[in-house]
Amino acid sequence: MDQNQLKQAVAQAALDYTLAKLDSDSVLGIGTGSTANCFIDLLANHKHLFLGTVASSEDSATRLRDHGISVFELNAVSEVTIYVDGADEANAHLELIKGGGAALTREKIVTAVANEFICIADESKWVSHLGKFPLPVEVIPMARSYVARELVKLGGDPVWRENVITDNGNLILDVHHLYPIASACALEEKINQITGVVTNGLFALKPADVLFLATQDGIVKHLAGSSN
Ligand code: 5RP
């Protein structure tokens, strides 16, 4: 299978898992990116089974609405049953790097609200240690240079993702050369403490609950807290 077929397969596995947990009052959290898009397209055939969705980006909200799926403001929703999203890297602790699509802040917010976070990825995202993928950091525009200098002090090599403005009106710094990240939780906290940082793309303090990984041998289900 090529990478696109793997994404389709993992989206189908997540759909089967998710549909079994939904009722007519359920609100689903929907992530951003090409794997999440596969999930959205499959979800369209089942939109009568749940109340609606909240989206982690304007792009995903548009795609959902184009399928006739309701999209709510997060502030209008008291509970998100499940959040389904992709990742740029995932390790055996289900700690992730996300934000390749610049949607990391809204992704982290929906993750915080959701009862369960299901990550979907093809095997190219599975790593022993995080950090080869440059770590995205969303920053307030006027703080860009200051935050970059602070990230250098942490040993990183930040690169401004020029021409990208996030859905929140902010900028992205991609931090290279952090590999191997020894403690993802500690680094997530440390970067978030830099004034001017909105958030960073480490999802370690609240990792995924379940990871569906598409491999050439089939879908492998990883659970948080298991030895995998
Ligand atoms: C967007 C993300 C995506 O989940 C991540 O970049 C993976 O994308 P794709 O499924 O296209 O590989 O974090 O901000």
Side-chain angles (χ1 to χ4, degrees):
M1 282 201 271
D2 63 24
Q3 193 177 28
N4 192 46
Q5 289 169 320
L6 291 172
K7 289 180 184 188
Q8 292 287 345
V10 81
Q12 183 63 55
L15 183 76
D16 295 343
Y17 179 91
T18 301
L19 290 180
K21 299 198 168 195
L22 296 184
D23 60 35
S24 55
D25 292 327
S26 300
V27 174
L28 275 186
I30 304 293
T32 298
S34 56
T35 319
N37 283 345
C38 294
F39 183 80
I40 292 171
D41 295 346
L42 291 172
L43 191 64
N45 290 329
H46 306 276
K47 59 189 173 204
H48 55 286
L49 294 177
F50 56 96
L51 191 60
T53 61
V54 292
S56 67
S57 64
E58 298 300 332
D59 282 350
S60 291
T62 299
R63 196 177 187 99
L64 287 159
R65 289 195 183 101
D66 286 348
H67 279 304
I69 299 173
S70 301
V71 182
F72 304 119
E73 290 293 325
L74 185 60
N75 287 320
V77 165
S78 59
E79 189 173 348
V80 174
T81 308
I82 290 182
Y83 177 58
V84 179
D85 198 0
D88 299 300
E89 285 186 348
N91 70 16
H93 303 292
L94 308 199
E95 297 169 331
L96 313 172
I97 286 183
K98 291 183 47 53
L104 60 159
T105 298
R106 294 189 185 195
E107 290 170 345
K108 206 173 268 195
I109 293 169
V110 183
T111 303
V113 175
N115 296 340
E116 190 175 5
F117 174 19
I118 311 300
C119 184
I120 51 176
D122 65 83
E123 59 192 351
S124 70
K125 311 296 183 63
W126 182 248
V127 296
S128 57
H129 293 90
L130 299 173
K132 279 192 180 148
F133 190 91
L135 177 66
V137 179
E138 179 163 351
V139 300
I140 301 290
M142 71 175 287
R144 175 176 55 84
S145 297
Y146 167 72
V147 171
R149 289 194 294 274
E150 294 300 303
L151 290 168
V152 169
K153 288 181 194 166
L154 295 180
D157 182 8
V159 177
W160 178 19
R161 204 186 296 179
E162 290 188 63
N163 304 321
V164 170
I165 305 286
T166 70
D167 285 347
N168 313 305
N170 297 316
L171 306 178
I172 298 287
L173 294 173
D174 291 308
V175 190
H176 296 247
H177 302 143
L178 292 172
Y179 182 84
I181 294 174
S183 170
C185 288
L187 187 62
E188 182 178 354
E189 277 184 320
K190 206 177 276 186
I191 293 176
N192 282 346
Q193 281 165 8
I194 301 171
T195 302
V197 167
V198 179
T199 198
N200 70 82
L202 280 167
F203 285 57
L205 296 166
K206 190 174 190 298
D209 297 299
V210 180
L211 168 67
F212 286 105
L213 195 70
T215 76
Q216 295 298 342
D217 298 324
I219 304 294
V220 180
K221 182 181 172 189
H222 296 269
L223 298 176
S226 73
S227 56
N228 293 299

